[in-house]
Amino acid sequence: MPAPVPVVAAAPSAGTLDAVYDAHRAGAAEAARMADAYGDRRRAAADRALARRQLLYFDGRGPGRVTEVLGDLAGADRVAVLVPGSDTSIDTYGRFRAAAQALHQRLGGRAAVVAWLGYETPGTLSTAVATTDRAEEAAPALRTLVHDVRAVAGPRTRVSLLCHSYGSVVCARAAAGLDVDDIALLGSPGTGADTAAGLRTRARIWAARAAGDWVQHVPHVSLGLFGTTVGFGTDPVSPAFGARVFAAGDGGHSDYFAPGSPSLTNLTRIVLGETQAVTP
C-alpha cells in the first residue's frame, strides 16, 4: 500500500500536543489521497477518517500503524492504553477503535484512552501468532509510547495497560521497569513468563478470560524451536501465574469491551483506581 513516509513531529508534550496531532493528521490525509490514486477506496476511506482524529502517530504504509488519543491527554488524571491482538490493521481499525470508545465513554471526562496500533500484528491463522517474535519487536515501541504519555500527562497520572490476546504478549515483553500502575491481560494465550512476578514490574497484574473465549483451548506450553520461542507458557488466569483474576462474563474473544459487560465494568474500575470494587 503506497503511503507517505511518516512525518517527523516534535516530541510529544503538553505544549506540542496540538502540533503533533496536526502533523499526523496531515500524513493521514496524504495517505488517503495516495490510496485513492492506487484504487483502494476502502483504505482511502479509513485514512480519511483517521485524518479527522487526534493522532500521536500515523504510518499508512503496509498494514499501517496508528496511535490515536480519545479525550484530553494533557489534562487527564487517568490514562488507559489499549494494546490489540492479531489481525488488527488500518483496514480493521474500526473494531479496535470501538473498544477504545466504549471504555472512554465509561471513564468520563477526566480520563483519556490511547488506542495503540503500534506494531505489525500477526495473523490469527499464521505461524507468527504462536511465537514471541512480533512481541519482541513491538516492545521497544510500547515503552516509547508510555514515555510519551508520561511526558504529556505528567508523572502523577495513573496509567494502565489493557492488553488483548496477542497484545498481552507484547505488554509482557515491555513490562520490565515500565512506568505504569496496572497491566490487564485479556483473553491471553500466555505471556511467555511463568508467573506474574516474572514480568519484573511494579504494576499490579490483572487477568481475565470470558467463558465463551476460544483462547481457553490454546495449549499452555512454551518451547524453544529453531531459534525462537513457540507458545506462551503458564495460563495467566491460573493460580500458578499469580495475577489478580477478575470476572469477564460469558462473552467471546472479542467481547471484553462490550458495553454493559462485566469485563468492561471491571476494566473501568481498574483504570480509575477503584481496585477494591473489582469483582473476582
Side-chain angles (χ1 to χ4, degrees), residues 29-260:
E30 178 59 23
R33 287 190 286 271
M34 294 177 72
D36 256 335
Y38 186 70
D40 191 330
R41 295 188 177 182
R42 179 183 178 187
R43 174 60 69 88
D47 289 340
R48 274 194 295 272
L50 287 165
R52 298 189 293 269
R53 297 174 185 159
Q54 297 182 145
L55 302 182
L56 273 182
Y57 187 76
F58 176 83
D59 182 354
R61 298 173 297 179
R65 300 187 184 189
V66 178
T67 303
E68 181 183 355
V69 176
L70 285 73
D72 178 10
L73 183 58
D77 56 14
R78 303 285 190 272
V79 177
V81 177
L82 272 58
V83 181
S86 59
D87 292 326
T88 309
S89 66
I90 287 180
D91 292 325
T92 62
Y93 181 76
R95 68 189 185 194
F96 179 46
R97 187 174 194 266
Q101 286 179 301
L103 178 64
H104 187 241
Q105 289 170 1
R106 285 294 305 268
L107 289 172
R110 290 289 295 169
V113 174
V114 179
W116 183 75
L117 174 54
Y119 74 110
E120 185 176 344
T121 68
T124 299
L125 301 178
S126 71
T127 56
V129 80
T131 77
T132 58
D133 293 353
R134 294 281 177 92
E136 296 282 2
E137 294 168 3
L142 181 55
R143 293 191 189 103
T144 298
L145 183 276
V146 171
H147 178 272
D148 290 345
V149 166
R150 288 286 184 199
V152 175
R156 295 185 178 181
T157 298
R158 183 185 183 88
V159 178
S160 303
L161 292 185
L162 310 184
C163 317
H164 180 239
S165 193
Y166 190 86
S168 65
V169 188
V170 176
C171 289
R173 285 296 182 266
L178 201 62
D179 188 11
V180 297
D181 298 279
D182 295 275
I183 299 175
L185 312 173
L186 311 170
S188 174
T191 64
D194 292 331
T195 64
L199 300 180
R200 296 180 292 123
T201 173
R202 68 172 181 83
R204 282 176 290 268
I205 306 299
W206 304 82
R209 186 168 63 223
D213 190 340
W214 56 260
V215 84
Q216 64 187 294
H217 303 298
V218 172
H220 292 284
V221 297
S222 182
L223 303 171
L225 191 65
F226 303 118
T228 190
T229 302
V230 178
F232 307 111
T234 309
D235 185 349
V237 300
S238 69
F241 188 73
R244 302 179 183 209
V245 179
F246 63 92
D250 298 327
H253 189 62
S254 301
D255 297 331
Y256 290 93
F257 295 90

